[in-house]
Amino acid sequence: MTGDATGRLTGVAGWPVGHSRSPRLHRHWLARHGIEGDYVALPVAEEHLEEVVAALPKAGFRGLNVTVPHKVAALRLAHEATARAHAIGAANLLTFAEGRILADNTDGEGFLRNLREGAPLWEPGAGPAAVLGAGGAARAVVWALLEAGAPAVTLCNRTRATAEALAESFGARVGVADWVQAGNVVEAAATVVNTTSLGMAGKPELRVPLDGLRPGQVVTDLVYAPLETRLLREARAAGATAVDGLGMLLHQAAPAFERWWGIRPEVDGNLRAAVLG
Ligand code: ATR
């Protein structure tokens, strides 16, 4: 899938997309590797996604990331998709090659790389995982936790039916608990992941009971603005290993950049600074 696209443009389509840090991230790598290309944010409404994606290769694009709310639709409109994109049920990465659209999903890989980097001693098989939330981001996280060998994953979501639908598509290792049980589920887990938007700047705080957090647990939050959420602060205070969510953004981007430009870029302190700056 690498190397046969010819356009010099890449980007991310979302709605809204103005807050996206991906242009900074990819432009950092483009500059670092002396590649004459660009990465732009494209505000695309849901009803226009298909039309826009179909036109982009003709406008010099070699590929496109898609973010909320387009990830499920992006998988559907692709001609081909990787096994992991099918398993996750969504795509975040499209590559245009020879008139065809190829879909992949690097969110789960990014999630795992970030956890392994931030918590080198993490043993996914050591115990069950607790996942708070059951939206689009949770799908990739559940897939990744199962891939990594978590013996069980318990989903806790405000809307239980959404969690049940998600659990059903992943089989017997994934279970569901009521949102009011979140404190107990967190306490019983070896790995704890917040995939809800709670705790993000401008959103309500994640208010589930966190007094069950303890040493030995690995706790991560997909929210990265702020970098240290209440969940991560409480985890650290309890002696657990806390991993912030910015690394997931960086690590999901690296395989996209590699697919498009044929170079595996580095995820390092310079990149973090460029993205935060
Ligand atoms: P994403 O694709 O980023 O995961 P999403 O699909 O909108 O975004 O999912 C957001 C998640 O945050 C959902 O699990 C949502 O719960 P519901 O399924 O009940 O909507 C959760 N969430 C958002 N606001 C919440 C709140 N105030 N309390 C609890 N959960 C909330």
Short mmCIF file of all heavy atoms in Angstrom, two decimals, residues 68 133-137 157-159 162 179 195-198, ligand 1:
data_model
loop_
_atom_site.label_atom_id
_atom_site.label_comp_id
_atom_site.label_asym_id
_atom_site.label_seq_id
_atom_site.Cartn_x
_atom_site.Cartn_y
_atom_site.Cartn_z
N VAL A 68 -13.63 12.25 14.10
CA VAL A 68 -15.04 12.36 14.46
C VAL A 68 -15.74 13.35 13.52
O VAL A 68 -15.18 14.44 13.29
CB VAL A 68 -15.16 12.86 15.92
CG1 VAL A 68 -16.61 13.05 16.31
CG2 VAL A 68 -14.47 11.86 16.86
N GLY A 133 -16.74 4.38 28.81
CA GLY A 133 -17.20 4.92 27.54
C GLY A 133 -17.34 3.81 26.51
O GLY A 133 -16.71 2.75 26.62
N ALA A 134 -18.20 4.04 25.53
CA ALA A 134 -18.45 3.02 24.50
C ALA A 134 -18.71 3.68 23.15
O ALA A 134 -19.45 3.16 22.32
CB ALA A 134 -19.64 2.15 24.91
N GLY A 135 -18.08 4.82 22.92
CA GLY A 135 -18.23 5.53 21.65
C GLY A 135 -17.22 5.04 20.63
O GLY A 135 -16.67 3.94 20.73
N GLY A 136 -16.96 5.88 19.64
CA GLY A 136 -16.05 5.52 18.56
C GLY A 136 -14.66 5.19 19.06
O GLY A 136 -14.04 4.21 18.62
N ALA A 137 -14.14 5.97 19.99
CA ALA A 137 -12.78 5.75 20.46
C ALA A 137 -12.67 4.44 21.23
O ALA A 137 -11.64 3.76 21.19
CB ALA A 137 -12.35 6.91 21.35
N ASN A 157 -20.59 2.37 30.52
CA ASN A 157 -21.01 3.53 29.74
C ASN A 157 -22.30 4.08 30.32
O ASN A 157 -23.14 3.33 30.80
CB ASN A 157 -21.22 3.13 28.28
CG ASN A 157 -21.31 4.34 27.38
OD1 ASN A 157 -20.47 5.24 27.47
ND2 ASN A 157 -22.31 4.37 26.52
N ARG A 158 -22.43 5.42 30.24
CA ARG A 158 -23.65 6.06 30.73
C ARG A 158 -24.88 5.43 30.08
O ARG A 158 -25.84 5.10 30.76
CB ARG A 158 -23.57 7.56 30.40
CG ARG A 158 -24.81 8.33 30.74
CD ARG A 158 -24.65 9.79 30.36
NE ARG A 158 -24.40 9.96 28.93
CZ ARG A 158 -24.23 11.14 28.35
NH1 ARG A 158 -24.27 12.25 29.06
NH2 ARG A 158 -24.01 11.22 27.05
N THR A 159 -24.80 5.22 28.77
CA THR A 159 -25.90 4.56 28.06
C THR A 159 -25.54 3.08 27.91
O THR A 159 -24.73 2.71 27.07
CB THR A 159 -26.09 5.19 26.67
OG1 THR A 159 -26.17 6.61 26.83
CG2 THR A 159 -27.36 4.69 26.00
N THR A 162 -25.50 1.13 24.49
CA THR A 162 -24.39 1.36 23.56
C THR A 162 -23.23 0.43 23.90
O THR A 162 -22.58 -0.14 23.02
CB THR A 162 -23.92 2.83 23.66
OG1 THR A 162 -25.07 3.67 23.62
CG2 THR A 162 -22.98 3.20 22.54
N TRP A 179 -23.06 2.13 34.57
CA TRP A 179 -22.22 3.31 34.81
C TRP A 179 -22.03 3.56 36.31
O TRP A 179 -20.95 3.93 36.75
CB TRP A 179 -22.86 4.51 34.10
CG TRP A 179 -22.11 5.79 34.15
CD1 TRP A 179 -22.52 6.96 34.71
CD2 TRP A 179 -20.80 6.06 33.59
NE1 TRP A 179 -21.57 7.94 34.55
CE2 TRP A 179 -20.51 7.41 33.86
CE3 TRP A 179 -19.86 5.30 32.90
CZ2 TRP A 179 -19.32 8.02 33.46
CZ3 TRP A 179 -18.67 5.90 32.51
CH2 TRP A 179 -18.41 7.24 32.79
N THR A 195 -12.25 6.47 27.83
CA THR A 195 -12.45 6.83 26.41
C THR A 195 -13.56 7.84 26.25
O THR A 195 -13.90 8.19 25.12
CB THR A 195 -12.79 5.58 25.56
OG1 THR A 195 -14.14 5.19 25.83
CG2 THR A 195 -11.85 4.42 25.83
N THR A 196 -14.16 8.29 27.35
CA THR A 196 -15.20 9.32 27.23
C THR A 196 -14.52 10.68 27.06
O THR A 196 -13.31 10.81 27.23
CB THR A 196 -16.10 9.39 28.48
OG1 THR A 196 -15.37 10.02 29.55
CG2 THR A 196 -16.58 8.02 28.92
N SER A 197 -15.32 11.66 26.72
CA SER A 197 -14.78 13.01 26.60
C SER A 197 -14.77 13.73 27.94
O SER A 197 -14.37 14.90 28.02
CB SER A 197 -15.62 13.78 25.58
OG SER A 197 -16.99 13.59 25.87
N LEU A 198 -15.19 13.06 29.01
CA LEU A 198 -15.23 13.70 30.32
C LEU A 198 -13.83 14.00 30.82
O LEU A 198 -12.94 13.16 30.73
CB LEU A 198 -15.97 12.80 31.32
CG LEU A 198 -17.43 12.51 30.95
CD1 LEU A 198 -18.03 11.49 31.90
CD2 LEU A 198 -18.25 13.80 30.98
P1 ATR B 1 -15.77 9.28 20.55
O1 ATR B 1 -15.99 8.87 19.13
O2 ATR B 1 -14.66 10.27 20.72
O3 ATR B 1 -15.64 8.13 21.48
P2 ATR B 1 -18.55 9.61 21.16
O4 ATR B 1 -18.84 8.50 20.23
O5 ATR B 1 -19.42 10.80 21.15
O6 ATR B 1 -17.05 10.13 20.96
O7 ATR B 1 -18.51 8.98 22.62
C1 ATR B 1 -18.39 9.76 23.73
C2 ATR B 1 -18.42 8.85 24.96
O8 ATR B 1 -18.41 9.69 26.11
C3 ATR B 1 -19.67 7.99 25.05
O9 ATR B 1 -19.33 6.78 25.67
C4 ATR B 1 -20.57 8.84 25.95
O10 ATR B 1 -21.56 8.12 26.65
P3 ATR B 1 -23.02 7.87 26.00
O11 ATR B 1 -22.89 6.67 25.11
O12 ATR B 1 -23.90 7.63 27.17
O13 ATR B 1 -23.39 9.11 25.26
C5 ATR B 1 -19.56 9.41 26.90
N1 ATR B 1 -20.05 10.62 27.56
C6 ATR B 1 -20.16 11.85 27.02
N2 ATR B 1 -20.66 12.72 27.93
C7 ATR B 1 -20.87 12.03 29.07
C8 ATR B 1 -21.36 12.36 30.39
N3 ATR B 1 -21.72 13.61 30.72
N4 ATR B 1 -21.44 11.37 31.33
C9 ATR B 1 -21.06 10.10 31.01
N5 ATR B 1 -20.58 9.73 29.78
C10 ATR B 1 -20.50 10.67 28.83
#
